[in-house]
Amino acid sequence: MDQRLWTVLDERLPTEKCTNQSTLRCIQINAFGILNLVQITRIELENIKSYEHAEFEFGRGTIAIMGENGAGKTSIIEAVAWVLFDLLDYKKDDFLRRGSKKKGVARIEFESGLDERRYIVQRDTKTAYFVFDPKLKTRIADKKEEVTRFLWQHLGVEPGTDLESLFRRAIGVPQGTFTAIFLETPTERKKAFDKLLKVEEYRVGAMRLGRTAKFIDSEILDIVQKVARAEGELTNRKKFKKELKKLSGTQKKTESQLKKLEKSVKKQAKSLDLLKGKREVFEKAKAAYLAAEQDSKRAGLVLEQRIKEAESSKEAARLVAKSKDGFDTHKHALGMLKELERERKEREKLQFELTEIEKAILSVEGEKKSIQRQLSELETKRKAAVELKSAAKEQESLEKDKKVLETEISRIKEGKLRVSQLETRIVELQDRYRNNESQIKEVEELASDAKEAEALRTENERITKRIASITATLERDKDFRKQIDDGMCPVFSAKCLNLEPGQTLEGFLTDKFSDLTSEAGRLEAEQKNIAAKAKASRKAQEAYSRLPLLLKRREEIANDGKTLRKEQDKLKSAASELESKQSRLKEIKVRLTALEDPAGRIKILNKEVGRLQTLQEQATKAESNFERLESDRRLKVEQIETYKDLDSNWKEFTEKRDATADDHGLYLKNEALANKEKEAEEVMVAATKVVEEANSALVKTLQEFDIAEKEFDVSKYEAEAEAFRKAELDLERLRSEAEYSAKRTSEVQADLEKLGSIEKRLEQDKIEKERLDRLSEAVGFIRNTLKSAAPRVAKNYVFHVSVEANTLYREITGNVESTLRWTDDYGIELEEEGFSRPFISLSGGEQMAAALAVRLALLRQLTDIRIAFFDEPTTNMDLERRERLAEQISRITENQTFDQLFVISHDDTFESYADHVLMVGE
């Protein structure tokens, strides 16, 4: 591979990041430019999981989110993942508060380091997803695509980054999966981290360039085929030129023959036109004769038909006159029968109404008997209800006692279960109390060491000043010794008066220098001892600062224990009465069974007695109906009596109708034809005149046809017409040949012009092929480069993350002898005393600490986001490791390595180390 390309790639890979920290935020600078951070300031939830409405505000530093299981701690982090990182591990409807008919809404407010402004990102369980600028009071990004681009920019990650994978693998690993990915196979780890590190993008780029290479190759193949076709087509040029010359000669010969034939055809056409005129006269005379002949025959047939119709009308008139009397009698009988039929129907209607009235009378009589029987039964039931009243009062009293006893017994049984639960909680409180007392004792034992901190600091300052003074004196004495000349004082140029007899100035200074050096050594040793004591004293002071919290916790535990014990004693006292209450309840149930529910029976009887008035009203109504129906029956009998002669009249007119039926039928059959007798006579006379006129016209047209037939020679006309037809065919053939020659000449000329264009394109295609060959070579080189780049990029990332993770692991565990390595297959190894242990063989606490170190290192190396979320990070850790983890997490924000660290836990270890504590569910 070209070394220059590798140089560019190496410059783009992540290196140790340059950090410049301030009190507000950390601005990172790397090869991609200046990137900024965000700080979450507020989270608002509406109808989300267990929250109907909640608002949480956050500052900078370590934030402990505490609460019991199920209180809604994890829901806060899920809201951040959903809104800012498009991650939700279940359906939106399941994120909605149970039973809510409104939509769920999550709002995340953050301060961007890009422009030092605050923004609100809002998302709901319907379709809304947007970014709101509170200062401008308007939406600045709407829908998922725009919001994602906005978040890439303000979160400080490269465009195209998979935010879901980034959150899942580094920023906020879901609860219970913190170590899971490191326990997977190398293949599964590679899938997860290649996507996070964007290593796969190089392979995808190479794959996509493969499609580009195939496209270029197909284009080259197309051009090669075009060149081959063009060269094949150019071989036809000589053939086309030869054909064009031949067509020119043929065209001249055809034009000469065409002119001669056109003159001959014109002459023949004039002669044929004269014969056509005579033929038309002949054809018209023949057609007139044939038409007159047909008219004569048709008129004769019409006359015969009119004569027959006139005779039929005369016969019909005779028959009508003969049957007239019988027809009139029949018609009168039909009229009378129609009226009698109407009267018969009226009589039948009255008879039907009389039958219905008689049925109604029988029904009313039955109803009256039924009402009287029911009235008698109701009186019996009323008396029975009065007799049951005393038993009902006893039943009411017993049921009240039963309900009270059942409530008290249920409460006592619940109390028994509550006693067991309280006993468990009391034991838990006792364990917590003993543990708290142990911590108080340890802290109180450190009180004396904590009080020495100020004195040790003062003593350390005094020793430091003294060492500084001695060091300055020694430096001055060194300079002074260089100026000594033969034991003479360099200031007075004389013997020093401070010297003892026999003592030289150099010896005097050497003794003094030795004394100061000894004193400085002694002071430095003393200072180291004081520093060690001061360090221990500071730790004791830190531990002692927790004493008020521990004392307060002792008081709270004690009060909770007293309250629970008091409640337990009360419940035990109530439980002692259970047996007597159950016995009394049994007695009441036996007595109630013996009474057989008199109150219910009274209620049923009273309900029945309540129908008395209704039945009385029904009896009155039934009597009234009976009287009315009797009156109606008498009236109908009188009306039917008026139709007593109907049957004899019906018989009389039926016989008359039947006797005259033949005359009636004969009259109706001939009446219409008889009425047309005069009209038929007139039509017959008119038809006779038409026959005479048709015969006269026939004679005239026959004479004209004979004259025309003599003047027209049919055989001559047919001979000249055939000769003219052949001449026209020859003329059309010559014209077609002339048109074909002209058309083919144009086609050959066009083909020659096309071959000229093909020759020009052939040269252009050859130039394009040379260009595509060069492009194919370049694409192949880039593709091979990208294929080789992926493993080198991954290796570089792994190296830097591994170094950072090792440092963080040592800080978390306090074990500087261990070395953590993130391997090339994205696994974790821990080296101790020259031996390496894989991740799976580590203890639960070691696994959690190692996974935490790698994930924090990934976050620092891959992004400029300085926010992280830890969901139950102390899982599988002992007390000492939990304390150390909590302390290290707080130091991460103190050292401004991260701006905000959110810790979700029900473990109270983090309370004393967090900058902010949020209690959820209280």
Side-chain angles (χ1 to χ4, degrees):
M1 184 184 294
D2 193 332
Q3 187 58 39
R4 289 173 297 172
L5 180 60
W6 273 124
T7 302
V8 174
L9 287 173
D10 288 339
E11 290 174 355
R12 301 289 285 181
L13 293 174
T15 59
E16 281 296 327
K17 297 202 173 183
C18 171
T19 59
N20 176 23
Q21 295 150 341
S22 68
T23 58
L24 294 176
R25 63 185 48 79
C26 172
I27 301 176
Q28 270 93 19
I29 303 174
N30 62 15
F32 297 96
I34 297 177
L35 300 173
N36 302 269
L37 302 180
V38 298
Q39 178 181 325
I40 296 175
T41 57
R42 187 169 65 90
I43 297 176
E44 183 178 355
L45 305 177
E46 293 181 10
N47 295 315
I48 295 295
K49 294 299 276 294
S50 60
Y51 296 103
E52 182 176 1
H53 181 269
E55 292 186 23
F56 309 100
E57 294 189 356
F58 304 103
R60 195 174 180 280
T62 303
I63 300 154
I65 302 177
M66 313 293 290
E68 297 295 330
N69 289 333
K73 306 186 296 298
T74 302
S75 299
I76 298 173
I77 308 309
E78 288 176 335
V80 174
W82 182 45
V83 175
L84 297 185
F85 298 91
D86 193 30
L87 171 62
L88 190 63
D89 286 329
Y90 38 80
K91 295 179 181 178
K92 289 192 289 186
D93 290 343
D94 296 332
F95 200 40
L96 184 66
R97 187 170 65 90
R98 183 176 296 176
S100 175
K101 296 182 179 179
K102 299 180 179 178
K103 64 184 178 181
V105 180
R107 300 182 187 91
I108 309 298
E109 181 182 87
F110 68 84
E111 182 178 339
S112 171
L114 189 65
D115 52 14
E116 299 187 1
R117 296 179 64 179
R118 291 196 176 189
Y119 298 99
I120 297 173
V121 184
Q122 178 171 323
R123 193 169 192 176
D124 64 37
T125 53
K126 297 293 185 183
T127 58
Y129 192 16
F130 59 85
V131 181
F132 182 77
D133 188 329
K135 192 172 183 180
L136 299 177
K137 296 182 179 179
T138 186
R139 295 184 184 186
I140 58 174
D142 203 355
K143 304 300 180 185
K144 185 174 179 179
E145 183 179 353
E146 290 184 7
V147 173
T148 302
R149 286 200 298 268
F150 175 88
L151 292 174
W152 282 338
Q153 181 183 15
H154 288 267
L155 290 176
V157 298
E158 292 183 59
T161 297
D162 186 342
L163 296 178
E164 178 185 341
S165 179
L166 178 62
F167 190 89
R168 191 183 296 277
R169 302 301 177 200
I171 297 175
V173 182
Q175 181 178 344
T177 64
F178 209 82
T179 62
I181 189 62
F182 299 108
L183 294 169
E184 294 284 355
T185 62
T187 302
E188 293 299 320
R189 293 198 298 269
K190 184 175 180 60
K191 287 180 185 177
F193 287 108
D194 274 1
K195 184 177 181 182
L196 180 62
L197 300 177
K198 295 189 177 182
V199 172
E200 191 62 25
E201 290 184 6
Y202 291 91
R203 299 191 184 96
V204 172
M207 181 185 70
R208 290 176 178 171
L209 279 178
R211 292 197 291 267
T212 303
K214 288 180 181 178
F215 173 75
I216 293 171
D217 290 342
S218 68
E219 289 292 303
I220 292 173
L221 180 60
D222 287 345
I223 291 175
V224 169
Q225 292 173 349
K226 287 179 183 178
V227 169
R229 283 196 298 270
E231 290 176 344
E233 290 176 359
L234 288 173
T235 59
N236 295 324
R237 181 181 292 179
K238 291 181 180 180
K239 183 180 72 173
F240 286 145
K241 287 182 178 180
K242 184 177 179 181
E243 185 181 359
L244 185 63
K245 185 177 180 181
K246 182 180 178 181
L247 285 169
S248 178
T250 303
Q251 194 172 8
K252 289 179 181 179
K253 181 179 178 181
T254 303
E255 288 175 355
S256 174
Q257 292 175 350
L258 186 60
K259 288 178 181 179
K260 291 178 182 180
L261 187 57
E262 283 176 345
K263 288 180 181 180
S264 176
V265 169
K266 191 173 182 182
K267 185 177 179 181
Q268 289 176 343
K270 287 181 179 179
S271 176
L272 189 61
D273 286 343
L274 292 173
L275 290 172
K276 282 182 178 179
K278 293 180 180 180
R279 177 174 172 269
E280 287 178 0
V281 172
F282 170 76
E283 293 291 343
K284 287 181 180 178
K286 183 179 179 181
Y289 166 71
L290 293 174
E293 187 179 26
Q294 289 296 323
D295 290 342
S296 177
K297 291 179 180 179
R298 188 163 46 249
L301 292 173
V302 170
L303 178 60
E304 291 177 3
Q305 180 65 28
R306 296 295 180 258
I307 291 170
K308 290 179 181 179
E309 290 176 356
E311 292 175 350
S312 297
S313 294
K314 288 180 181 180
E315 178 63 19
R318 186 186 66 79
L319 292 173
V320 166
K322 180 182 177 183
S323 60
K324 181 71 167 62
D325 293 339
F327 173 78
D328 292 339
T329 302
H330 186 88
K331 188 175 180 181
H332 177 260
L334 287 175
M336 291 304 295
L337 287 172
K338 185 177 180 180
E339 177 63 22
L340 291 172
E341 176 65 19
R342 184 189 65 76
E343 291 179 358
R344 187 180 64 78
K345 288 182 179 179
E346 187 67 28
R347 186 185 67 180
E348 288 178 352
K349 180 181 178 183
L350 290 170
Q351 288 173 340
F352 175 76
E353 289 174 353
L354 177 62
T355 302
E356 292 298 315
I357 290 171
E358 289 174 345
K359 287 180 181 178
I361 289 172
L362 291 174
S363 176
V364 170
E365 288 177 342
E367 184 181 357
K368 287 171 64 179
K369 292 178 182 178
S370 176
I371 291 171
Q372 289 300 324
R373 186 178 65 257
Q374 291 181 55
L375 287 171
S376 175
E377 291 174 355
L378 288 179
E379 180 61 25
T380 302
K381 290 178 180 180
R382 186 186 65 77
K383 292 178 181 179
V386 171
E387 293 173 357
L388 287 170
K389 282 185 178 180
S390 60
K393 288 182 181 179
E394 182 183 358
Q395 178 190 6
E396 182 181 5
S397 174
L398 290 172
E399 285 182 342
K400 285 181 181 179
D401 294 344
K402 174 176 171 287
K403 187 174 181 181
V404 171
L405 285 170
E406 286 176 341
T407 302
E408 290 177 353
I409 290 169
S410 175
R411 190 181 296 115
I412 291 170
K413 288 180 178 179
E414 290 175 358
K416 279 188 171 183
L417 179 62
R418 178 64 178 162
V419 166
S420 178
Q421 294 173 343
L422 289 173
E423 186 63 34
T424 302
R425 289 193 59 189
I426 289 169
V427 171
E428 291 176 354
L429 284 175
Q430 289 172 345
D431 292 339
R432 286 181 60 190
Y433 187 84
R434 285 192 292 270
N435 184 43
N436 195 70
E437 285 298 305
S438 176
Q439 293 182 45
I440 291 173
K441 184 176 180 181
E442 292 175 1
V443 170
E444 287 176 344
E445 289 175 354
L446 295 172
S448 59
D449 292 339
K451 292 177 182 178
E452 293 178 0
E454 185 61 28
L456 290 170
R457 185 185 63 78
T458 303
E459 180 63 17
N460 186 57
E461 289 179 356
R462 183 190 68 76
I463 293 173
T464 300
K465 289 179 181 178
R466 177 57 184 158
I467 290 173
S469 174
I470 292 172
T471 303
T473 302
L474 290 173
E475 292 295 325
R476 188 173 63 251
D477 287 350
K478 285 181 182 179
D479 294 337
F480 186 74
R481 289 178 67 183
K482 291 178 182 178
Q483 300 175 17
I484 295 173
D485 186 16
D486 295 331
M488 301 296 289
C489 178
V491 178
F492 299 102
S493 299
K495 289 281 185 180
C496 181
L497 300 178
N498 293 319
L499 299 178
E500 296 293 335
Q503 187 180 24
T504 63
L505 181 58
E506 184 176 358
F508 174 77
L509 291 174
T510 299
D511 293 341
K512 188 176 180 183
F513 189 85
S514 177
D515 292 341
L516 290 173
T517 301
S518 298
E519 184 180 0
R522 180 181 56 78
L523 288 173
E524 287 175 353
E526 186 177 349
Q527 187 181 40
K528 288 181 180 179
N529 185 37
I530 290 173
K533 290 181 179 180
K535 183 177 180 181
S537 180
R538 282 196 301 274
K539 288 185 178 179
Q541 198 172 34
E542 284 182 18
Y544 191 71
S545 65
R546 295 173 56 206
L547 183 60
L549 177 64
L550 293 171
L551 292 173
K552 182 180 179 182
R553 190 181 297 168
R554 178 171 65 183
E555 183 180 354
E556 290 173 351
I557 293 171
N559 290 336
D560 289 347
K562 291 177 182 177
T563 302
L564 294 176
R565 183 64 73 183
K566 185 176 180 181
E567 182 183 355
Q568 187 184 42
D569 293 341
K570 185 178 179 181
L571 291 171
K572 286 181 178 179
S573 175
S576 62
E577 301 175 4
L578 177 62
E579 186 175 350
S580 62
K581 291 181 182 296
Q582 287 177 332
S583 176
R584 174 56 183 157
L585 177 62
K586 186 176 179 181
E587 293 173 359
I588 290 173
K589 287 181 178 179
V590 170
R591 178 56 184 159
L592 284 172
T593 302
L595 288 173
E596 296 181 340
D597 191 18
R601 286 152 60 196
I602 289 174
K603 188 174 181 181
I604 294 170
L605 291 171
N606 286 337
K607 186 177 180 181
E608 291 292 326
V609 172
R611 294 175 53 236
L612 180 62
Q613 183 177 355
T614 303
L615 286 172
Q616 290 172 345
E617 291 174 355
Q618 289 176 354
T620 303
K621 186 177 180 182
E623 186 65 31
S624 175
N625 288 339
F626 181 78
E627 293 174 358
R628 177 179 57 78
L629 289 170
E630 276 293 326
S631 175
D632 291 344
R633 187 183 67 79
R634 288 192 296 272
L635 178 61
K636 294 299 177 185
V637 169
E638 291 173 359
Q639 289 175 342
I640 291 170
E641 186 65 23
T642 61
Y643 296 102
K644 60 183 179 180
D645 297 330
L646 174 64
D647 294 332
S648 61
N649 290 336
W650 179 267
K651 182 180 179 181
E652 177 187 351
F653 286 107
T654 300
E655 291 173 351
K656 287 182 179 181
R657 180 197 65 186
D658 295 341
T660 58
D662 292 340
D663 288 341
H664 180 264
L666 184 62
Y667 184 90
L668 291 176
K669 182 179 179 181
N670 293 284
E671 182 183 17
L673 188 58
N675 292 334
K676 294 180 179 181
E677 181 181 6
K678 184 178 180 181
E679 181 184 349
E681 186 67 27
E682 292 172 353
V683 170
M684 182 181 69
V685 173
T688 303
K689 290 181 180 180
V690 171
V691 168
E692 292 173 354
E693 292 173 357
N695 290 335
S696 176
L698 178 62
V699 172
K700 182 181 178 182
T701 54
L702 179 59
Q703 292 171 353
E704 291 174 353
F705 175 64
D706 289 340
I707 295 169
E709 188 176 16
K710 291 176 182 178
E711 293 180 354
F712 177 64
D713 189 347
V714 177
S715 59
K716 183 180 179 182
Y717 172 78
E718 290 178 349
E720 288 190 13
E722 179 64 20
F724 182 73
R725 186 182 65 79
K726 289 181 179 179
E728 278 190 327
L729 289 174
D730 291 339
L731 181 61
E732 185 64 29
R733 178 179 57 78
L734 287 173
R735 283 175 177 169
S736 297
E737 289 177 358
E739 288 178 3
Y740 172 75
S741 297
K743 182 180 178 182
R744 183 56 186 161
T745 299
S746 298
E747 290 175 351
V748 172
Q749 289 174 344
D751 288 338
L752 288 170
E753 290 176 1
K754 182 180 178 182
L755 289 174
S757 301
I758 289 172
E759 188 174 21
K760 291 179 181 178
R761 285 203 305 272
L762 177 61
E763 295 301 321
Q764 294 173 356
D765 288 341
K766 288 181 178 179
I767 294 171
E768 178 65 10
K769 181 179 179 300
E770 292 177 0
R771 185 187 72 81
L772 289 174
D773 286 338
R774 293 194 299 272
L775 181 61
S776 177
E777 184 180 355
V779 169
F781 168 75
I782 295 172
R783 186 184 178 204
N784 292 332
T785 300
L786 288 175
K787 284 182 179 178
S788 304
R792 295 189 64 175
V793 170
K795 188 173 183 180
N796 191 286
Y797 271 124
V798 167
F799 172 76
H800 290 289
V801 170
S802 185
V803 171
E804 182 77 24
N806 183 47
T807 302
L808 289 170
Y809 180 79
R810 289 178 175 179
E811 290 178 356
I812 292 170
T813 61
N815 184 3
V816 297
E817 302 297 328
S818 298
T819 301
L820 180 72
R821 281 198 303 274
W822 198 36
T823 61
D824 290 341
D825 63 355
Y826 305 127
I828 294 177
E829 291 183 355
L830 188 64
E831 183 178 331
E832 291 179 318
E833 298 179 358
F835 295 98
S836 292
R837 289 192 293 154
F839 188 77
I840 194 172
S841 68
L842 303 180
S843 67
E846 288 174 330
Q847 286 183 347
M848 181 62 74
L852 176 62
V854 172
R855 292 187 187 280
L856 288 176
L858 276 168
L859 196 58
R860 292 187 63 182
Q861 288 293 329
L862 296 180
T863 75
D864 294 293
I865 299 173
R866 291 299 172 262
I867 297 175
F869 301 88
F870 304 117
D871 199 349
E872 302 294 353
T874 58
T875 302
N876 298 323
M877 286 188 175
D878 57 24
L879 178 60
E880 183 180 354
R881 288 183 182 274
R882 292 202 302 271
E883 291 281 354
R884 186 176 293 113
L885 177 63
E887 181 180 359
Q888 290 304 320
I889 287 176
S890 67
R891 287 183 182 176
I892 290 172
T893 53
E894 288 175 3
N895 298 334
Q896 298 184 351
T897 305
F898 282 82
D899 278 7
Q900 286 179 313
L901 291 181
F902 293 83
V903 182
I904 298 90
S905 179
H906 61 272
D907 185 354
D908 58 6
T909 306
F910 290 94
E911 286 188 29
S912 57
Y913 292 97
D915 298 305
H916 312 280
V917 177
L918 173 64
M919 297 300 297
V920 177
E922 292 190 349

